[in-house]
Each structure stands twice: as structure tokens, then as C-alpha cells.
Amino acid sequence: MFIEARDLFRSWRELNDRKSCEVVNLWENILRKKIHKLGDEKLMVYEQVCLAALDTNRMDVADQCLLALKKEFSGSLRVRKLQAMKLEAMERYDEALEILDNIIRRDETNAAPRKRRVAILKARGRISEAIKELTEYLKKFMSDQEAWQELSELYLMETDFARAAFCMEELLLQNPHNHLVHQRYAEIRYTQGGYENMEIARAHYCQAIKLNPNNIRALYGLFLIRGAKPGGGPRGNAEWSAVGPCCRGERATVLDITLQPMSLGGIPSYHGHFGSPKIINDPTSNMAEYMYSVQVERSALDCQNISPCNCFV
């Protein structure tokens, strides 16, 4: 049991998978009594368990791990960051910010405390200040993909779609083969509306499907664009239908072939192999619910997830 638990902890660290409840349970039932057998690896385990304890609001376990880490590294900035995270979990934000500011003053190249500052501002509902802080962070750490994604989400919370789209464009430059980035960028452009934005959304939905044919959300996005309502863009739906196929050429035919199984009544049968399909008696009312339930499960299969960085959680 001990070896299995140790190996699980290692694999979760390598995959950057929090598994907070499982980590705390294994710690209390197996590893805590045999921590001396891990050698130097015990320090990484202490940190891993501390983060999991904060996620699950087990402050007693977090205190045990912090105490053990302080004995080994009394002046470590990494331990100080964990202390700030504990204060943050207890909603003592001002004290947490004071510790984070001290860490930044001692090491200006340390990205983690800057991200924690953004997380605290976001938790307090100060979205505009969080955007300003994250913008300053990206001036120093321009290649941080997770930061660009988080900034895009913050702009979306402020309904600033143009700047959110810009952030996703930066992500596309750094990671052009991630179908989820293309999908998200297409969704933002679709939300903006207008003929030009719809065409951009169509192109990136197609690219997302090309990279991952199982991306149901991108297929559904194409379906929505194909049936755009009148007045959805500056040229109107009638002019859209007249101009679109001419501009797209053969792409219109390809799109029709791609979307043929995506008709309102055909989606369950198209993806029936995934499991027992939901019977849709009233497609127009149940479509959103069905697409959400299928997309959540399908998107977990063989795709590179771009979930928010742990530093922002």
C-alpha cells in the first residue's frame, strides 16, 4: 500500500494533477506514519499535501505540513508562499498580500507570488484591479500562456470582448495546435457578432475540428453560425447567405457535409457510440442541455486541457 500511494503521489505531481481529496485521504491513512521512508522526497510530499489540504479546507493538515517545512527551510520563499496561500484560504487577504509583497521585493523574478496577487484581487471581486495587475505581470513574463488565458477570462467577465480576443490571439501564436484555444477564440468572435467576426469564428471552429474531430462544442458552433439569425451581422442574414458561399468556394459544400449529421434530430445518433444517447423529443428546448452534457465528457478524451493555472485557482 505504501509503495502504491507513493507512486500515485509521484504521478500526480508529474501530471500537475491536484487530486486534493485523494491526496489528503492517502496522507492520513498511509503516508503520514511512514513519511520517513521517503527520504528527501518527503519535502515535495509535504508541499503537495499542504496544497491539497488548503483545497479541501483541512487547515489542521496544512498546519502540520507547514510546520515540517519550516523546520527544514525556515527562510524559504516557497514556504512563505504557502503561508500566504493559507491566509488567503482563511480570507485574511491583507495579511496574505503583505507576505506576497515581501516575497516580490526579495525576488522580483518570482512569478508565483504575482499570480497569487491576481487570484486574491479576483477573489475579492476587484476585477479591474486584477486586470491591471495581470497586465503588468505579462509585461515581464510575456510567454506565460496560462496568464494570457486568465487575462482573457477576466476581460470576458468585464464583457470586453475585443481585448479578450486579443489575449486568445496571443495564445494562438504560442500554441497554434491546441484545438481548445481555437474553439475559445471562435466563441469570442461569434459573441462579438458581425459578418467579419462570424467568418473568423467559422475559420477557427473548422480548425478546432480539424485538430480534434471529437470536439462537439466546435461542431455546435459551426451549426450556430450556419443558422445565424437575421440581423446577426452588419450585412444581415440574407446577404450572409448570398455572399458567404461565393467567398468560401468549396468550403460551403464541405461545411454542409460536415454539419449534415449535426442536425437537431441527428446529434444523438451521430454520437450514439459514446453511450446511451439522450432522446430529444423537443430539440429546440433540449439542445443546449444535451450539447453541454456531451461536450463535457467528450472534451476530456485525448485532448490537451488548458484549464486555468493552479496559481490562479
Side-chain angles (χ1 to χ4, degrees):
M1 291 293 293
F2 169 77
I3 295 177
E4 294 176 0
R6 181 199 62 189
D7 292 342
L8 274 175
F9 271 53
R10 287 176 179 174
S11 65
W12 290 337
R13 286 198 304 272
E14 291 172 0
L15 297 173
N16 196 27
D17 197 349
R18 297 281 270 260
K19 296 284 186 182
S20 301
C21 293
E22 292 86 343
V23 167
V24 173
N25 288 334
L26 287 174
W27 166 257
E28 291 189 313
N29 296 325
I30 300 175
L31 287 182
R32 182 175 59 180
K33 299 178 181 178
K34 301 179 180 179
I35 189 67
H36 60 279
K37 294 184 178 181
L38 293 175
D40 292 338
E41 188 180 355
K42 68 181 181 182
L43 302 175
M44 290 184 288
V45 171
Y46 277 132
E47 182 180 23
Q48 186 178 6
V49 174
C50 182
L51 291 172
L54 294 177
D55 288 342
T56 56
N57 199 31
R58 289 294 306 275
M59 297 303 168
D60 55 328
V61 177
D63 287 334
Q64 295 172 9
C65 297
L66 281 172
L67 184 61
L69 289 170
K70 285 179 186 177
K71 290 181 180 178
E72 295 287 341
F73 307 102
S74 58
S76 170
L77 297 182
R78 197 161 173 173
V79 176
R80 294 284 290 167
K81 186 196 77 170
L82 291 175
Q83 291 176 316
M85 291 178 68
K86 179 193 170 186
L87 293 171
E88 180 184 346
M90 300 169 65
E91 297 187 359
R92 293 161 60 180
Y93 296 124
D94 293 332
E95 297 175 50
L97 285 172
E98 184 178 350
I99 293 177
L100 293 173
D101 290 339
N102 289 332
I103 296 174
I104 294 172
R105 281 195 293 268
R106 291 179 58 182
D107 183 7
E108 294 184 356
T109 62
N110 194 336
R114 297 177 186 271
K115 290 183 176 182
R116 293 306 328 157
R117 282 183 55 85
V118 176
I120 290 175
L121 291 172
K122 182 179 178 182
R124 302 178 85 169
R126 300 178 182 177
I127 304 302
S128 59
E129 294 181 33
I131 289 174
K132 183 178 179 181
E133 184 76 23
L134 192 51
T135 302
E136 292 298 320
Y137 168 84
L138 282 168
K139 290 179 181 178
K140 299 179 175 66
F141 305 92
M142 298 180 183
S143 61
D144 192 331
Q145 297 182 33
E146 293 162 334
W148 281 112
Q149 182 195 349
E150 182 68 19
L151 184 57
S152 176
E153 296 298 324
L154 291 175
Y155 278 131
L156 288 176
M157 293 175 69
E158 294 289 290
T159 64
D160 192 340
F161 298 112
R163 287 188 172 90
F166 173 80
C167 295
M168 296 309 297
E169 289 168 357
E170 291 290 332
L171 270 178
L172 282 171
L173 290 174
Q174 298 181 46
N175 196 358
H177 302 296
N178 191 322
H179 69 99
L180 294 175
V181 177
H182 286 278
Q183 170 200 305
R184 190 60 167 166
Y185 181 58
E187 290 170 348
I188 295 172
R189 287 295 190 179
Y190 175 84
T191 304
Q192 285 182 280
Y195 176 79
E196 182 179 352
N197 287 322
M198 286 291 192
E199 283 296 301
I200 294 173
R202 183 196 305 275
H204 286 275
Y205 275 135
C206 290
Q207 183 64 17
I209 295 168
K210 179 180 178 181
L211 294 170
N212 180 17
N214 292 325
N215 191 327
I216 309 299
R217 189 158 178 158
L219 284 168
Y220 188 47
L222 278 175
F223 179 87
L224 293 176
I225 289 177
R226 187 180 185 224
K229 294 181 179 180
R235 301 192 181 189
N237 191 55
E239 193 168 353
W240 174 290
S241 301
V243 175
C246 298
C247 295
R248 296 192 302 272
E250 296 180 357
R251 282 196 298 163
T253 304
V254 174
L255 181 60
D256 289 338
I257 295 173
T258 302
L259 293 181
Q260 184 176 1
M262 290 295 293
S263 61
L264 289 176
I267 293 177
S269 60
Y270 181 62
H271 292 282
H273 64 277
F274 183 71
S276 300
K278 179 184 291 187
I279 298 175
I280 299 182
N281 296 321
D282 184 4
T284 56
S285 62
N286 295 335
M287 176 57 66
E289 178 185 354
Y290 175 79
M291 291 306 303
Y292 176 78
S293 64
V294 174
Q295 188 271 337
V296 167
E297 298 180 59
R298 295 292 296 189
S299 63
L301 299 177
D302 302 324
C303 66
Q304 179 183 359
N305 195 357
I306 55 169
S307 58
C309 174
N310 289 337
C311 294
F312 293 114
V313 177

